[in-house]
């Protein structure tokens, strides 16, 4: 035991006397390893967020906001809702329904014209179907039409067509061309390239490639976009009536100007109900086109909710076991 203790003491003494041992230990402590790399600073993102924040704050402070009016808003809103709906003017229901149907007719006519014009143009704007010299001018036309709201188009057309429902329908048609054209060529560009390559390899012409290689795959999405645009056009037709283009909007603004609030309430009820009915019908057709079955969107929502509830209950039951 004494010999072992002496050997251990000798080894410790030699380790202390070895030159460079302390320096090496200090070097290891001072330089433990490679430093963690710094997180890269994305200057462009930081600049964009900073500029966006400044613009939002500047816009907020530049608006003349009456805070007292905001505080009084709930009380005034309750008062006017009472004037409109307690009770509404039920005797105005036939006129309200007739004006709403005129707005729906404007939206339908404008959407159909937009579909007829935008469909061939969207084929000309699709990448892979037409060269760039054809694509980009057509896309430029779509961009210009999308940039101008339907209300502005209607105001510009008033000097030519006058304050008629036809003016509103033409404004909706021009607005629909820009929107449907963009949705159309994006749908055509997203189709599976296999059918296009097969038709091209079989010696099909460009028109035949569009007919048999592009259209069958893009048809469900294109039909769904057409129906969705019709829903947007119904809402736009009500707004166009505010400038005198006819329909429910004109009747609405006339009664608001003369403070006939019970008739305004009746108009609001008719607009909301008709819009919801159109939404459900168009959703029914969209489901039929996409999935092949007839089902109302509200029924689909209830069915999904029931399925999720049953799944949660089943999971909870398995967990308790």
């Amino acid at each position: 035991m004494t010999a072992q203790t002496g050997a251990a003491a000798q080894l410790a003494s030699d380790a202390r006397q070895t030159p460079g041992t302390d320096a090496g230990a200090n070097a290891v402590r001072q330089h433990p390893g490679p430093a963690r790399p710094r997180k890269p600073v994305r200057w462009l993102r930081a600049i964009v967020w900073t500029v966006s924040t400044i613009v939002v704050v500047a816009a907020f402070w530049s608006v003349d906001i009456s805070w007292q009016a905001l505080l009084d808003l709930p009380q005034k809103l309750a008062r006017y809702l009472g004037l409109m709906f307690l009770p509404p003017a039920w005797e105005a229901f036939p006129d309200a329904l007739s004006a709403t149907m005129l707005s729906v007719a404007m939206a339908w006519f404008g959407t159909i014209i937009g579909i007829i014009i935008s469909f061939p143009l969207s084929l000309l704007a699709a990448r892979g179907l037409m060269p760039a010299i054809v694509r980009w001018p057509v896309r430029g036309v779509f961009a210009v039409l999308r940039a101008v709201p339907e209300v502005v188009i209607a105001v510009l057309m008033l000097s030519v067509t006058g304050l008629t429902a036809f003016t509103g329908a033409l404004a909706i048609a021009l607005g629909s061309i820009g929107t449907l054209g963009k949705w159309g060529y994006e749908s055509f560009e997203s189709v599976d390239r296999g059918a296009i390559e097969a038709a091209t390899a079989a010696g099909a012409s460009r028109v035949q490639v569009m007919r048999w290689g592009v259209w069958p795959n893009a048809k469900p999405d294109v039909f769904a976009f057409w129906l969705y645009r019709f829903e947007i056009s119904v809402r736009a037709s009500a707004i166009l009536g505010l400038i005198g283009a006819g329909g429910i909007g004109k009747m609405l603004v006339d009664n608001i100007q003369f403070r006939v609030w019970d008739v305004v309430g009746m108009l609001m009820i008719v607009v909301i109900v008709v819009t919801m009915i159109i939404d459900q019908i168009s959703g029914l057709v969209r489901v039929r086109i996409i999935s092949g079955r007839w089902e109302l969107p509200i029924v689909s929502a209830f069915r999904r909710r029931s399925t999720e509830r049953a799944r949660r209950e089943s999971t909870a039951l398995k967990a308790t076991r």
Side-chain angles (χ1 to χ4, degrees):
M1 178 66 70
T2 303
Q4 293 177 354
T5 305
Q10 183 64 30
L11 290 173
S13 176
D14 293 342
R16 288 193 297 270
Q17 295 175 2
T18 302
T21 302
D22 294 339
N26 292 333
V28 171
R29 286 194 295 269
Q30 292 176 1
H31 302 285
R36 178 179 296 179
R38 292 183 177 181
K39 185 178 180 180
V41 179
R42 296 179 173 86
W43 292 105
L44 181 60
R45 179 182 298 180
I47 292 173
V48 169
W49 277 108
T50 303
V51 172
S52 300
T53 304
I54 293 174
V55 170
V56 171
V57 173
F60 177 79
W61 287 109
S62 63
V63 177
D64 187 11
I65 300 176
S66 175
W67 298 106
Q68 185 61 38
L70 289 178
L71 295 176
D72 296 339
L73 180 61
Q75 180 181 358
K76 292 183 178 180
L77 184 62
R79 174 174 174 268
Y80 283 109
L81 288 177
L83 293 174
M84 286 191 294
F85 301 111
L86 296 176
W90 294 104
E91 64 275 7
F93 175 76
D95 295 335
L97 185 60
S98 176
T100 304
M101 290 299 102
L102 178 59
S103 296
V104 173
M106 288 168 50
W108 179 257
F109 180 77
T111 305
I112 293 298
I113 297 299
I115 290 172
I116 294 173
I117 298 176
S118 66
F119 179 70
L121 293 179
S122 59
L123 288 171
L124 298 178
R127 182 182 294 107
L129 299 179
M130 287 293 172
I133 194 173
V134 177
R135 287 200 316 268
W136 290 110
V138 178
R139 293 190 180 193
V141 172
F142 290 156
V144 170
L145 292 177
R146 288 197 313 274
V148 184
E150 287 88 351
V151 175
V152 177
I153 297 174
V155 171
L156 295 176
M157 297 176 60
L158 287 178
S159 59
V160 179
T161 58
L163 291 174
T164 62
F166 182 64
T167 303
L170 290 180
I172 291 174
L174 292 176
S176 299
I177 291 172
T179 306
L180 292 176
K182 179 178 174 59
W183 289 345
Y185 73 72
E186 288 180 349
S187 299
F188 297 146
E189 290 177 353
S190 63
V191 300
D192 185 15
R193 306 297 300 180
I196 299 176
E197 293 174 358
T200 304
S205 63
R206 184 165 294 177
V207 176
Q208 290 173 333
V209 169
M210 295 178 185
R211 171 62 183 88
W212 303 108
V214 177
W215 175 243
N217 294 324
K219 180 170 63 175
D221 292 336
V222 172
F223 274 127
F225 287 144
W226 288 353
L227 292 170
Y228 181 56
R229 178 61 204 185
F230 172 62
E231 296 176 23
I232 297 175
S233 299
V234 171
R235 295 168 177 82
S237 64
I239 298 174
L240 290 173
L242 299 177
I243 63 172
I248 191 67
K250 186 176 185 303
M251 188 175 179
L252 185 63
V253 72
D254 290 343
N255 285 276
I256 290 176
Q257 288 177 349
F258 290 102
R259 309 288 181 176
V260 189
W261 298 113
D262 53 350
V263 177
V264 173
M266 188 70 254
L267 293 173
M268 295 295 296
I269 292 174
V270 172
V271 168
I272 292 172
V273 172
V274 171
T275 303
M276 292 177 64
I277 291 174
I278 292 174
D279 179 72
Q280 291 297 311
I281 294 175
S282 61
L284 175 69
V285 179
R286 280 200 304 270
V287 171
R288 177 67 178 84
I289 293 171
I290 296 174
S291 64
R293 68 178 187 276
W294 294 100
E295 190 174 56
L296 288 171
I298 188 171
V299 176
S300 301
F302 279 118
R303 179 173 297 180
R304 286 194 300 269
R305 185 172 299 179
S306 300
T307 303
E308 292 175 359
R309 186 184 298 111
R311 187 183 298 112
R312 288 195 298 268
E313 292 176 355
S314 177
T315 303
L317 183 60
K318 290 179 180 179
T320 54
R321 292 179 180 176

